Amino acid sequence: MAARFAGAGKTVAIIERDKFGGTCVNTGCTPTKTLVASAYTIHTARRGAEYGFSVGDLRVDMTRVKARKDAASTTSSKGVEEWLRGMANCTVIQGQASFQSANTVVVNDEVLEAGKIFINVGGRARIPDMPGVHDVPFLTNSSMMDLDVLPAHFIIVGGSYVGLEFAQIYRRFGSEVTVIEMGPRLIGREDEDISDAVREILEAEGIHVRLNAKCISLEKREAGVAVGITCEDGPPEVVGSHVLLAVGRVPNTSDLGLDRAGVTIDHRGYIVVDDQLQTNVPGIWALGDCNGRGAFTHTAYNDYEIVADNLFNADHRRVSDRIQAYGLFIDPPLGRCGMTDADVRKSARPALAVKFPMSQVGRAEEKGETQGFIKICVDAETKQILGAAILGVGGDEVIHVLLDAMYAKAPYTVIERAMNIHPTVSEFLPTILAKLEPFA
Ligand SMILES: Cc1cc2nc3c(=O)[nH]c(=O)nc-3n(C[C@H](O)[C@H](O)[C@H](O)COP(=O)(O)OP(=O)(O)OC[C@H]3O[C@@H](n4cnc5c(N)ncnc54)[C@H](O)[C@@H]3O)c2cc1C
């Protein structure tokens, strides 16, 4: 946004209180996907015998793993910072910004006045008010970034996207890992068959999963931290060396002086915006995680595109035009787009569906990575794709074939007519789509 305005000859100030690049670059996507890559390589090396090699005594050096991760984040963060600092018409200010009024922002005792203000403050890990939480050392996705030792027993509270990625990463590094989830299944927003398959994948690697943990409490012990659980079965507590709290995010909106600007927030602190991301105050927009309309880097970036196209191109793009899409970057990854089965059922529309195991996909077999499945749901009348999930090798990339067809509002039959590259996972989509049956 800064570059777009600066490039158009406008005077821009960008205010950052911490590291440039925000959550994604410093404590989110970039470092975790770098760690996922280390964990994947280590896991593959352990499976060497299956592929025809041996590595002898495999030792994970957490200092080097961390150094690799830090290098990726630092390069990205510094790149963003240098780019901004070298930008004509753009002033970079380091400090905590807060509103003084609807058109003035204070930072480091300096008052800036502007006709257009874009709030893009993101969020942070939610620290739930569970018993004992203030008496024990715990980790969040941010403090995890400083960890350069291998936890002996890593307890992860929260069986959703952030928690599961860290669970598999650290299990592959060599920790004992227990995931404690309040709900009856992991990644509760997904369909049950996806939750179950993900749980099977993680348990097959030796990760312990404790569900239905209704009353979680924390207590300091000599060996680390005891996490109290009320589960349907299993011991009432788990004692671990380290605990990660991965139970959701909260927006960074409480210290922004939004009341002085008159900007409305909802009961969870998210800034209320309309379909074009304008707040209730003319001249103030809210983008990214802080508006509660998305929780991903691509939704934050899409927010920028929507606002910029509205302002610069009179192209009336709207948030409601976008199709839900995201990845869960465990191995194998889950690529998701559009409606879940539960959404389709609720919509009560006539639909066709197919579910196909990755074990029957040639490319997966060749790679020795056959876990998971592909499932696709289409509208029986329009033949347009309603939603899909690809839990399997390449799922995070292959899902875009279906997502692009959805944006094109094309019937699924166009995918059947395409000539695909062999051998790939994508080449199986026509075969899979040929097996569509009435949605049950
Ligand atoms: C562990 C983890 C893994 C993730 N992995 C993925 C992934 O693989 N793919 C994906 O799409 N998303 C992922 N996400 C989510 C993604 O990181 C966020 O959705 C994305 O960073 C949101 O971007 P944003 O611009 O809204 O906010 P942020 O990236 O959080 O940036 C907000 C910036 O505002 C600054 N700031 C806040 N308040 C003030 C203030 N008052 N004054 C000045 N500066 C301020 C902050 O310091 C920060 O730099 C992950 C998140 C986590 C926690």
Side-chain angles (χ1 to χ4, degrees):
M1 186 70 82
R4 189 78 176 260
F5 270 84
K10 309 284 181 196
T11 305
V12 176
I14 184 156
I15 309 166
E16 172 55 57
R17 69 178 176 191
D18 194 4
K19 289 182 182 161
F20 288 84
T23 306
C24 184
V25 162
N26 298 292
T27 61
C29 337
T30 304
T32 54
K33 267 78 258 181
T34 309
L35 293 174
V36 164
S38 288
Y40 175 80
T41 312
I42 291 162
H43 179 69
T44 307
R46 283 203 188 96
R47 296 177 61 201
E50 290 174 49
Y51 293 92
F53 68 94
S54 56
V55 285
D57 184 18
L58 195 146
R59 275 188 217 164
V60 179
D61 182 343
M62 289 306 293
T63 316
R64 282 163 62 194
V65 167
K66 179 176 178 295
R68 180 174 182 276
K69 169 202 66 91
D70 289 345
S73 286
T74 307
T75 305
S76 225
S77 179
K78 288 269 170 268
V80 171
E81 182 172 357
E82 280 163 21
W83 174 61
L84 287 169
R85 289 196 188 280
M87 195 177 283
N89 305 326
C90 179
T91 306
V92 174
I93 305 172
Q94 283 247 247
Q96 164 84 28
S98 67
F99 281 91
Q100 195 184 54
S101 72
N103 64 349
T104 52
V105 168
V106 188
V107 54
N108 307 332
D109 297 329
E110 191 183 348
V111 179
L112 307 174
E113 190 180 327
K116 290 187 176 63
I117 300 176
F118 302 95
I119 307 171
N120 183 204
V121 290
R124 62 185 184 280
R126 185 169 83 84
I127 309 303
D129 198 16
M130 53 179 63
V133 73
H134 301 299
D135 309 329
V136 300
F138 62 80
L139 293 157
T140 65
N141 70 291
S142 298
S143 51
M144 279 296 295
M145 297 300 124
D146 300 325
L147 197 67
D148 61 358
V149 294
L150 187 68
H153 184 175
F154 196 15
I155 300 179
I156 296 173
V157 181
S160 201
Y161 308 89
V162 170
L164 296 188
E165 288 183 13
F166 278 119
Q168 192 184 46
I169 289 167
Y170 276 84
R171 179 65 193 145
R172 290 180 168 193
F173 289 164
S175 294
E176 184 179 353
V177 174
T178 302
V179 175
I180 297 176
E181 164 58 42
M182 261 182 150
R185 56 192 175 89
L186 299 177
I187 40 172
R189 275 188 228 114
E190 303 299 334
D191 288 325
E192 261 175 62
D193 56 350
I194 295 179
S195 293
D196 293 347
V198 165
R199 181 179 169 182
E200 273 169 34
I201 287 166
L202 298 178
E203 285 185 333
E205 293 189 24
I207 294 169
H208 311 292
V209 177
R210 300 289 304 269
L211 303 172
N212 298 302
K214 297 274 181 277
C215 308
I216 301 173
S217 60
L218 305 170
E219 198 186 311
K220 209 162 189 297
R221 290 285 164 82
E222 211 170 305
V225 178
V227 182
I229 319 166
T230 333
C231 282
E232 278 164 3
D233 47 29
E237 68 172 29
V238 182
V239 181
S241 57
H242 296 71
V243 177
L244 167 69
L245 297 182
V247 290
R249 312 276 303 163
V250 288
N252 292 324
T253 51
S254 57
D255 52 3
L256 256 185
L258 289 172
D259 50 334
R260 290 191 289 273
V263 172
T264 305
I265 54 172
D266 70 14
H267 67 285
R268 295 176 308 157
Y270 289 99
I271 298 171
V272 177
V273 289
D274 66 15
D275 213 11
Q276 290 170 332
L277 303 164
Q278 297 190 76
T279 67
N280 61 309
V281 178
I284 305 181
W285 288 256
L287 295 82
D289 283 12
C290 69
N291 65 25
R293 305 291 285 266
F296 301 99
T297 296
H298 48 273
T299 48
Y301 192 80
N302 187 245
D303 282 359
Y304 146 69
E305 292 176 321
I306 290 167
V307 175
D309 274 350
N310 275 296
L311 290 175
F312 287 97
N313 301 340
D315 177 352
H316 299 299
R317 289 174 69 170
R318 294 170 305 179
V319 181
S320 53
D321 290 336
R322 72 182 173 213
I323 299 166
Q324 160 140 277
Y326 52 86
L328 163 64
F329 295 90
I330 58 161
D331 169 40
L334 169 69
R336 272 269 306 114
C337 68
M339 298 167 101
T340 60
D341 287 354
D343 295 333
V344 175
R345 208 161 285 126
K346 214 159 115 194
S347 76
R349 70 179 78 203
L352 304 172
V354 59
K355 187 169 167 184
F356 193 83
M358 289 302 290
S359 56
Q360 288 180 31
V361 174
R363 188 69 201 273
E365 180 65 34
E366 289 149 11
K367 287 187 158 214
E369 300 181 31
T370 53
Q371 290 171 310
F373 54 78
I374 295 177
K375 64 174 189 172
I376 307 169
C377 195
V378 308
D379 187 297
E381 282 159 9
T382 64
K383 293 192 165 48
Q384 288 177 20
I385 297 163
L386 295 172
I390 305 183
L391 174 65
V393 59
D396 50 337
E397 299 286 350
V398 179
I399 196 75
H400 291 93
V401 174
L402 302 168
L403 183 60
D404 287 344
M406 288 174 80
Y407 273 108
K409 296 192 191 310
Y412 74 86
T413 44
V414 298
I415 295 176
E416 290 186 311
R417 291 179 70 88
M419 184 190 73
N420 292 297
I421 296 167
H422 173 77
T424 57
V425 175
S426 304
E427 75 172 332
F428 259 81
L429 293 176
T431 309
I432 294 169
L433 286 164
K435 295 179 190 299
L436 283 165
E437 285 181 357
F439 178 79

